[in-house]
Amino acid sequence: MKATAMANANIALSKYWGKRDKKLMLPQNGSISMTCDGLCTTTTVEFGNYKEDTIIINDEELQKEKEDIIKHLDLIREMTGIKQKARIVSESNFPIAAGLASSASGFAALTLAATAAAGLKLDEKDLSMLARRGSGSASRSIAGGFVEWHRGEKDNGSDSYAESIVDKDYWPEFRMVTTIVTEAKKKVSSRAGMAQTVETCPFYEGWLKTVNDDMDKIREGIKKRDFAVVGLTAEENCLKMHATMMTTKPSIVYWFAPTMEIIQNVRLWREEGLECYFTIDAGPNVKVMCLEKDEKEINKRLLSLNGVIKTIICKPGDNAKIIDKHLF
Ligand code: PMV
């Protein structure tokens, strides 16, 4: 009744922003991401004779905001008939809730560990659909390499899952340099932000109209290892998503001053011939895409900027896995 899983976070190249079904976590649009080897969450789950569910994240027991995790456990208890409470210990090697996709690796690791602890063996597609119920982007962290989450058409969500486009060894030169400009928790969660956008943004229709085209370009670009197409389309897609956030009522601006500083510099460096592109999620931290040959130079330049506290360099990473070493 105890299992441990490891899952990597993922960074979307073509973003998911908005749900068509909040309960089943069905997206308004499909998305494509890279699973990141440097951003990892390890989670141990044990069902046992506990009085209540206990959740310990990075050595701290969660007192508030436990509902989403407990709801996810309940889903797995319902599927398996298990009545016992659980102890969950989880560790991430990067700052959580700062727009670094911690919910993606967190819910992917939790889904895999909890189903295994409950004695349930699911294939990747079913795991992805179950992880999706915890956090949409977690559906993509079940798979490795470059991953597509299909929007799906069905109301019951049975065709809305993620799978690899290519595995992690297909394009090993691709780098995602994650900058951290603040480790503070963001004020508006992606869940609340996207709901507000769907309800109030006058440009949301424009986002939906163009996102499939971005996905086609990025998917083909990945298959051809065409860095310019993937990088530029990802950058445009990110700016479009942020334009919907900024024009939502009340307006959501996730950027800080260093966010803008990185954006301007990435464009300057590109003009000078150093090829790099940026993408940003629901937070102020910027992820800079480059190829292995330019990784050192770009990392050095990013670290020399005023607002950058640190960087984490990621390669395409593995799918979620069961491991033997438990956290308790
Ligand atoms: O599933 P969530 O709540 O982690 O939402 C993810 C939203 C973005 O990170 C902004 C985009 C994405 O596709 O990852």
Side-chain angles (χ1 to χ4, degrees), residues 12 15-17 103 135-137 140 190-191 194 241 281-282:
K15 311 284 187 192
Y16 145 58
W17 195 246
S103 67
S135 166
S137 60
R140 299 186 310 238
S190 47
R191 192 163 300 187
M194 65 176 81
M241 176 183 72
D281 291 299

Side-chain angles (χ1 to χ4, degrees), residues 5 16 54 85 88 99 114-115 166 175 272-273 318 325:
Y16 145 58
T54 313
K85 300 288 182 194
I88 303 174
T115 51
V166 295
R175 292 290 178 279
E272 291 167 6
D318 243 327
K325 210 169 155 248

Side-chain angles (χ1 to χ4, degrees), residues 223-273:
K223 287 184 187 160
K224 290 185 186 140
R225 299 186 189 87
D226 187 334
F227 184 58
V229 166
V230 173
L232 199 59
T233 314
E235 195 173 292
E236 287 167 0
N237 179 274
C238 146
L239 289 172
K240 241 186 315 190
M241 176 183 72
H242 280 270
T244 71
M245 297 161 165
M246 289 176 190
T247 50
T248 288
K249 278 187 183 173
S251 167
I252 306 167
V253 181
Y254 284 111
W255 299 357
F256 289 2
T259 314
M260 203 61 215
E261 192 188 0
I262 301 169
I263 291 176
Q264 300 292 14
N265 276 286
V266 164
R267 292 198 156 168
L268 194 71
W269 300 338
R270 201 153 80 217
E271 272 166 34
E272 291 167 6

Side-chain angles (χ1 to χ4, degrees), residues 33-45:
S33 58
M34 182 182 102
T35 300
C36 294
D37 79 327
L39 305 173
C40 172
T41 299
T42 305
T43 301
T44 300
V45 178

Side-chain angles (χ1 to χ4, degrees), residues 135 166 172-173 182 185 196 219 237 274 276 300:
S135 166
V166 295
E173 300 84 9
T182 170
K185 203 167 176 248
Q196 201 177 299
R219 190 187 313 103
N237 179 274
L274 185 63
C276 52
K300 193 178 86 190

Side-chain angles (χ1 to χ4, degrees), residues 5-23:
M6 229 179 77
N8 289 310
N10 68 80
I11 305 294
L13 303 168
S14 186
K15 311 284 187 192
Y16 145 58
W17 195 246
K19 294 176 180 54
R20 63 177 205 279
D21 182 322
K22 287 183 189 159
K23 181 163 181 273

